[in-house]
Amino acid sequence: MSDEWIKIAAPATTSNIGAGFDTFGLAIHEPYDIIEGRKIPSGIVISDIQGPGAESITRDPAKNSVTIAAAEVLKRAGADFGLEVKIIKGIRPCSGIGSSGASAAGGAYLAHVLTGEKLSINEVIMCAAAAEGYTSGSIHADNVAPCILGGFTIIRSYEPFEVLKIDPPKDLGLVVALPDVLVATADARKVLPHEVPVKDLVFHVGHASSLVYAMMTDDLPLIGRSVADMVFEPARAPLVPHLKEAEKAAMNHGAIVSFLGGSGPCVMSFYDKSTHKGEVIAESVRKVFNDNNMKCDIWVTDCGTGCRRL
């Protein structure tokens, strides 16, 4: 049995994206987790965890999303070996940019590579989504799908599972702002309404449809007009202090749209790289949080290409 270590980069993602709750996702070039692993005779072991929030992440393979996802791939592929895993977190937990999703996707993709890629990519995504279900309380693939596939993804259906991928416009730039607040996905789901008015449903269908069209036609102004949410961000906004101030600052400094990334606290801003500088938008958002005595990490980055072997 080969003891070669395999390294997988699993990127951050932003999910929901306006009206696309549990449906839309987008891979981000950076930050990313690194999931490293090798074959062992049997069992699954986590031998090391490093990076932001590492001290709070369990090493129990039955409870860690990396190894839950990897174990599911090994099972479905009929693997006759175990796995030793090392985790380097580049994405802080409770960030709203797919920290648990990157872990789950990276673990699933690592096992997929080590088993000789016997499963379909949809099966790999569902193995990662199952791990997300353990950590967040509900199975959802809007983070793990773009993390594995890259680009902009749409979950058409969960039963049967089908995911579609669109290559985003080349001039679509991203500013990722992460204030010093922790918002667990499970907690963010607890504040969501169980029913919505018909007028909000109509609003969401229209905006979700136009966002897909805008991504396919490279229409950045239409992307800006289409990322809107009448239901989920308003319910979660109280969890992130100064969210609306940060969004307004980004828009005032050139963003085509600014919104709550995933379940928060990330503030995600899209901009046109051909006409504006992401650093200007980034500093305007950072200033809002700094002026309120809050630390804020910033990435000025691009859309990502998904899990890859390093």
Side-chain angles (χ1 to χ4, degrees):
M1 178 176 294
S2 171
D3 62 354
E4 178 189 4
W5 285 93
I6 302 295
K7 287 185 179 181
I8 302 297
T13 53
T14 186
S15 62
N16 302 335
I17 312 179
F21 180 76
D22 276 6
T23 302
F24 292 159
L26 181 68
I28 303 171
H29 180 66
E30 57 183 346
Y32 53 85
D33 287 354
I34 296 175
I35 311 299
E36 190 173 1
R38 66 175 178 178
K39 296 178 182 179
I40 57 175
S42 63
I44 296 183
V45 177
I46 301 173
S47 57
D48 190 35
I49 304 177
Q50 300 177 30
E55 67 283 350
S56 66
I57 299 173
T58 180
R59 293 196 181 203
D60 183 343
K63 297 179 180 180
N64 187 294
S65 58
V66 172
T67 42
I68 294 171
E72 187 64 21
V73 171
L74 295 181
K75 177 182 175 182
R76 293 195 189 195
D80 60 355
F81 57 86
L83 196 61
E84 179 182 356
V85 173
K86 296 178 181 179
I87 303 167
I88 302 175
K89 291 296 294 179
I91 311 165
R92 190 199 78 190
C94 302
S95 61
I97 49 174
S99 179
S100 63
S103 293
Y109 197 80
L110 171 70
H112 182 52
V113 171
L114 287 172
T115 55
E117 302 186 6
K118 293 180 179 179
L119 303 184
S120 71
I121 205 66
N122 269 13
E123 289 179 291
V124 177
I125 292 170
M126 285 308 297
C127 290
E132 280 274 75
Y134 180 89
T135 56
S136 71
S138 65
I139 292 178
H140 57 284
D142 53 338
N143 286 109
V144 296
C147 187
I148 290 172
L149 294 174
F152 178 77
T153 57
I154 306 156
I155 309 299
R156 186 199 67 79
S157 170
Y158 280 91
E159 295 182 6
F161 181 72
E162 184 176 0
V163 59
L164 309 172
K165 176 191 172 184
I166 296 171
D167 292 327
K170 61 180 177 58
D171 284 329
L172 181 62
L174 281 59
V175 175
V176 184
L178 185 56
D180 193 17
V181 181
L182 298 179
V183 178
T185 302
D187 292 338
R189 285 183 173 264
K190 291 177 183 177
V191 303
L192 299 179
H194 296 288
E195 297 180 354
V196 299
V198 171
K199 66 179 180 62
D200 290 345
L201 175 62
V202 172
F203 178 95
H204 274 227
V205 171
H207 282 73
S209 301
S210 63
L211 179 57
V212 172
Y213 178 83
M215 285 286 184
M216 294 181 68
T217 58
D218 295 351
D219 190 332
L220 269 64
L222 183 56
I223 288 176
R225 299 196 302 275
S226 299
V227 177
D229 177 1
M230 293 288 286
V231 178
F232 303 105
E233 179 170 321
R236 288 169 162 171
L239 301 175
V240 184
H242 313 293
L243 170 65
K244 292 305 173 184
E245 297 167 58
E247 291 176 347
K248 183 178 179 180
M251 295 292 290
N252 287 341
H253 287 81
I256 58 173
V257 69
S258 187
F259 57 97
L260 183 67
S263 56
C266 167
V267 181
M268 180 70 59
S269 302
F270 291 166
Y271 72 98
D272 185 340
K273 293 191 294 184
S274 69
T275 59
H276 289 80
K277 292 187 178 297
E279 290 79 9
V280 174
I281 299 168
E283 286 309 309
S284 73
V285 175
R286 190 200 307 272
K287 186 175 186 303
V288 169
F289 289 110
N290 288 173
D291 286 351
N292 287 280
N293 299 312
M294 295 175 65
K295 180 185 175 185
C296 181
D297 294 324
I298 300 273
W299 293 267
V300 178
T301 186
D302 300 302
C303 302
T305 56
C307 284
R308 65 188 190 278
R309 184 172 173 177
L310 298 176

